[in-house]
Amino acid sequence: MEEQQVIKSLAALAQAARLQVFRALVVAGPAGLTPSALAEHLALPASTLSFHLKELLHAGLVSQERDGRHLIYRAAYEQMNALLAYLAANCCQGEACLDQTAAAGCAHC
């Protein structure tokens, strides 16, 4: 993962509402959520949620798919895992310090 993409991803997550949206999408798994379900779950106004989803899309942390009249948002697990790997690279001065199953990333990938 390129450093500029890491910065963009971290900047997108460095806001409370966006972090909540992203975490809700991670919990939702591959099925994803519609904006209305997210807005209801997080008690966010639609316009506010739309702004935050746009920022997460721009950072590559979520994907968007049209299903008929509905939009479905999903966490971009590959991007999330790449970000986690970048942050954990060279931890403990290169020594194995994490359980490898914990460091492997998300099970949805």
Side-chain angles (χ1 to χ4, degrees):
M1 176 174 256
E2 297 289 326
E3 189 173 276
Q4 283 303 105
Q5 185 59 43
V6 170
I7 293 166
K8 191 183 292 188
S9 296
L10 291 174
L13 294 172
Q15 200 282 340
R18 281 194 292 274
L19 183 59
Q20 290 174 347
V21 169
F22 182 72
R23 292 186 73 204
L25 291 172
V26 168
V27 170
L33 292 169
T34 62
S36 59
L38 275 167
E40 182 179 327
H41 176 71
L42 299 173
L44 288 173
S47 60
T48 301
L49 177 62
S50 177
F51 171 77
H52 292 309
L53 285 168
K54 184 181 91 171
E55 291 297 310
L56 291 168
L57 269 167
H58 180 69
L61 292 168
V62 301
S63 65
Q64 176 191 70
E65 179 184 339
R66 182 162 292 281
D67 183 17
R69 293 179 37 205
H70 302 283
L71 291 174
I72 307 294
Y73 287 88
R74 294 179 181 88
Y77 295 105
E78 185 176 317
Q79 181 79 0
M80 178 187 76
N81 288 331
L83 177 61
L84 292 172
Y86 179 89
L87 294 173
N90 303 316
C91 72
C92 303
Q93 298 177 0
E95 297 295 320
C97 60
L98 293 175
D99 175 3
Q100 291 304 310
T101 57
C106 179
H108 293 297
C109 303

